[in-house]
Amino acid sequence: MLQNQNPLAKTISKSIGKVARMTYKLGNLEEVVSSRIIDITDSHNSVIIEHPAPFKTNNKVNGDKTVTTMMIPINNILAFRIVL
């Protein structure tokens, strides 16, 4: 396993499967989501969560797919709290 000195990455990796509320930067704005943590990337740079509002893509070549996951870069997370 990769050694990481980022305390937030360590907390997130221990919280896989739990619900968390995160505030993160999205461009010039801030977004707040409450969702279940699915995993953390191997490089410990991003967290993978359930998408708070799954939606269908409109792709005529590969067919419609439902987006159910979302990746957030850990460096963009401003606040993190375990809810459940």
Side-chain angles (χ1 to χ4, degrees):
M1 185 171 180
L2 179 69
Q3 282 287 39
N4 193 330
Q5 300 302 319
N6 186 340
L8 181 56
K10 289 179 185 178
T11 302
I12 290 172
S13 64
K14 293 177 185 176
S15 304
I16 293 174
K18 296 180 180 177
V19 176
R21 175 170 285 191
M22 289 177 260
T23 303
Y24 64 96
K25 289 191 308 187
L26 183 63
N28 292 332
L29 304 173
E30 293 180 3
E31 183 79 25
V32 179
V33 294
S34 291
S35 187
R36 187 174 66 86
I37 300 170
I38 296 174
D39 204 0
I40 191 166
T41 58
D42 291 337
S43 62
H44 288 221
N45 289 333
S46 297
V47 61
I48 304 168
I49 63 170
E50 283 184 353
H51 201 286
F55 61 93
K56 285 197 175 230
T57 60
N58 189 7
N59 189 347
K60 296 186 185 216
V61 176
N62 296 328
D64 293 344
K65 294 183 179 180
T66 303
V67 175
T68 58
T69 60
M70 179 177 174
M71 287 180 67
I72 300 173
I74 289 181
N75 289 339
N76 288 3
I77 297 175
L78 303 173
F80 179 85
R81 182 171 204 178
I82 300 294
V83 178
L84 292 175

